[in-house]
Amino acid sequence: MQNKSNIFMTFGKMPIANNFINKENFKDEYFFEMSVAFDEKKSLFQLANFPKPTQMFNENYKFFTNSSKYMINHFENYSNELSKEFLNNKSKVIEIGCNDGTLINFFNSKGFDCLGFEPSKNVADLAKKKGLNIITDFFGPNFEEKNFKKQTNLICAANVICHIPDLENLIKGIDYFLSDDGIFVFEEPYLGSMFEKVSYDQIYDEHIFMFSISSINKIFDLFDFQLVDVLPQVTHGGSMRYVIGRKNKHKKSEIISKYLDEEQKKKLDTIESCLDFKKACELSKKMTLEKLNKFKADNKKICGYAATAKSTTVLNYCDIGNDIIDYICDTTNEKIGKFSPGTHIPIVSMNYFKKNIPDIAFLFAWNHKEEIFLKEKKFVENGGTWFSHVAL
Ligand code: SAH
Ligand code: TMP
């Protein structure tokens, strides 16, 4: 699929980021040219080409929300905050992209009438096993859910709106389900944080858009909706929570214009910031390779820590393979025993990491570093060193 706008950079050929694969499938592996573009009209950073959603979100999806204790706790707080601010005991809640049901389950336990949309069958089944009401499909309008049509008080989402290529269809779905004074809240990785950290690994097939306040403000304004509040989040290396309502139904927070001014000063609303980002990515690649080659020249053993979707971008963009990284350890059973997409580095268990301690661990889950550093104190005490392409 394609987005038509100004292409300003390519990361080269990329596989499906979460497609951790078996040896016998190496020869059929799918690749696409991962170019990025900026739509100046909407101030929208986006992938220029990407695979079809069904190639990424299906019965073999390898990401599970409950793989991070920190995120489980974050979602409990998210449900508490939204319940207090927007809901009463008769409220109805929809979650888009509910995955294993972690967030919607918190709302369900509070007694709200809940519905989750989740197209990836394996994770949708996990949510259903919790007794949740789940539609195993992509969110949109035209579902025959009479209890929720124009009656939903809160539609919430996290780390999924940037996965949805057809934003018009998404907004039609919001219009179809949301009550007159209902609220749509979602939080997504923030463009400003990605530029600041040069965390270009936020860009992969699933992340079709990297939103800013300027872009969300412009997109919803094209429809009968408006941005009414924003709230920065520390999750996933810097995210932004957006609160959307129907036009002229809610008071717009004064903080929005302050943030929009800040984004304009940083040129996040024009392609200029993208051109600086491109240079920063090229420099980051050069420095990462120089450091890894130096470790190798010093006979250091290097492993990867956490087989993240983000690692697929770093490894393929920098062309880092099994000659540099011996293995990548991860907690996810569905990834262990498989190989990293494109670069084919073996994925092993945490037990293997404990028994085959490297000198250097490339932390691919740098966004979960607090949680990981806390449980891996021994690695550093025994002389191990953490490394990453972003500042740790
Ligand atoms: N919200 C969870 C999961 C994020 S991963 C969290 O933050 O941890 C994105 C999830 O959205 C995946 O489970 C994927 O299958 C689902 N998804 C992708 N496109 C979707 C769409 N159009 N509608 C609903 N869910 C979608
Ligand atoms: P993601 O960055 O693509 O969301 O994936 C996170 C991956 O990191 C997931 O495969 C689980 C793994 N992980 C660990 O292995 N150990 C950890 O402590 C945490 C938080 C995540």
Side-chain angles (χ1 to χ4, degrees), residues 18 62-63 67-69 204 236 305-310 329-332 335 350 364-365 367-368 371-372 375:
N18 263 316
K62 301 264 182 330
F63 173 76
S67 63
S68 163
K69 288 208 176 82
Y204 53 91
H236 292 307
Y305 192 102
T308 59
K310 292 190 290 300
C329 56
D330 196 277
T331 51
T332 314
K335 294 181 185 175
M350 286 300 168
F364 291 124
N367 49 317
H368 296 299
E371 183 172 353
I372 291 171
K375 64 181 169 190

Side-chain angles (χ1 to χ4, degrees), residues 75-117:
F75 285 131
E76 182 165 20
N77 294 336
Y78 184 63
S79 75
N80 290 340
E81 287 160 25
L82 299 190
S83 306
K84 208 166 140 199
E85 199 170 344
F86 302 117
L87 304 180
N88 62 45
N89 58 5
K90 293 202 186 84
S91 294
K92 295 174 194 253
V93 180
I94 285 182
E95 187 188 355
I96 306 174
C98 66
N99 196 268
D100 58 18
T102 301
L103 171 60
I104 193 78
N105 200 25
F106 285 122
F107 285 108
N108 199 55
S109 309
K110 293 179 203 297
F112 302 117
D113 198 359
C114 294
L115 174 65
F117 283 86

